[in-house]
Amino acid sequence: MEILDVLDENGNYTGKTEERKIVHESGLWHIHVGVWIMNKKGELLFQKRSMQKKVNPGKWTRTGGHVDSGETPLEAVQRETAEEIGVKIPIDNFKLLSISKEEVDIPKYQVTNRHFIYSYIAIVDYNLEDYTMQQEEVSDLKYITIEQMEEAYKNKDENYTFIRWKNIDNVINELKKIRKLQLSKKFELA
């Protein structure tokens, strides 16, 4: 059972905790983390959500999840990465890109997701065979280029979760800048 810290609408901790299911059913504010994992060639790792997932089953997304009660977002992104794709990326390899506030009502799943999303980037030197998928969460992995991601967004490819994100144009532009710096060896994580 996942226990999450409850935040107020300004992102402040309230001192209350609640089960994840109740947090979503009641529309309580909480923290979610996500990470763009970029390899040395500038490609992004996407994971296909298991068909057992309640929300967005079988869709491609980045690695991420909820921040457990008492955990920092940085600790959570490292834990989620280790759990879902079987690699413990060193904590210093994660760089915070942004914090955004999002409210999403998904009546089909009886979910009201109100969360602050901490988005990270991590540059890695892993091949697909270096990952171990957590079967309950992930059914497949692949690397794609940012241009393939951009094309999926333009075509409104429903196989990807990011096509509904409000700020995806900004995300794509930021990822292109990071890729350019990373390929020129000027991107520093620390």
Side-chain angles (χ1 to χ4, degrees):
M1 170 180 14
E2 284 183 83
I3 303 295
L4 309 180
D5 288 317
V6 176
L7 280 59
D8 67 18
E9 65 276 358
N10 297 312
N12 301 308
Y13 288 85
T14 63
K16 298 177 184 174
T17 61
E18 192 56 78
E19 288 181 46
R20 175 183 168 174
K21 182 178 193 277
I22 303 298
V23 165
H24 285 161
E25 289 173 353
S26 303
L28 300 174
W29 288 99
H30 59 287
I31 302 175
H32 190 275
V33 293
V35 60
W36 297 105
I37 297 173
M38 183 180 287
N39 66 15
K40 299 289 184 174
K41 294 188 277 186
E43 299 167 322
L44 299 169
L45 182 72
F46 275 82
Q47 63 186 52
K48 191 172 193 179
R49 291 174 60 87
S50 163
M51 291 306 289
Q52 300 167 8
K53 298 296 288 178
K54 182 176 181 179
V55 177
N56 294 317
K59 294 196 181 209
W60 293 97
T61 192
R62 66 183 177 172
T63 302
H66 290 87
V67 176
D68 292 340
S69 179
E71 190 176 43
T72 68
L74 189 55
E75 291 166 339
V77 76
Q78 185 186 46
R79 175 186 50 77
E80 287 288 347
T81 304
E83 287 175 3
E84 293 184 6
I85 59 175
V87 293
K88 188 170 184 181
I89 298 172
I91 208 90
D92 292 343
N93 279 37
F94 294 99
K95 180 180 178 185
L96 182 64
L97 293 179
S98 66
I99 302 170
S100 59
K101 180 179 178 181
E102 185 175 283
E103 293 183 64
V104 180
D105 287 317
I106 313 170
K108 176 180 175 182
Y109 302 115
Q110 298 166 344
V111 168
T112 299
N113 212 355
R114 291 189 173 111
H115 50 215
F116 290 86
I117 304 168
Y118 284 64
S119 292
Y120 292 88
I121 181 88
I123 309 295
V124 300
D125 196 15
Y126 300 126
N127 297 311
L128 286 178
E129 55 273 6
D130 297 325
Y131 299 107
T132 304
M133 295 179 285
Q134 180 186 27
Q135 297 302 314
E136 303 81 29
E137 298 275 339
V138 182
S139 64
D140 201 1
L141 294 169
K142 67 179 178 179
Y143 278 111
I144 67 170
T145 66
I146 297 170
E147 288 72 25
Q148 289 170 313
M149 179 182 168
E150 199 169 28
E151 190 67 26
Y153 175 63
K154 285 179 185 174
N155 292 331
K156 301 198 181 328
D157 187 337
E158 288 290 331
N159 292 307
Y160 292 89
T161 61
F162 63 78
I163 64 159
R164 293 184 300 281
W165 296 1
K166 295 175 188 160
N167 66 341
I168 195 63
D169 288 325
N170 294 338
V171 170
I172 289 170
N173 289 334
E174 186 67 21
L175 290 170
K176 283 180 177 179
K177 288 178 196 171
I178 291 169
R179 178 183 62 187
K180 183 176 180 182
L181 291 171
Q182 189 270 325
L183 292 174
S184 68
K185 308 292 187 236
K186 293 181 182 173
F187 183 74
E188 295 293 326
L189 288 165

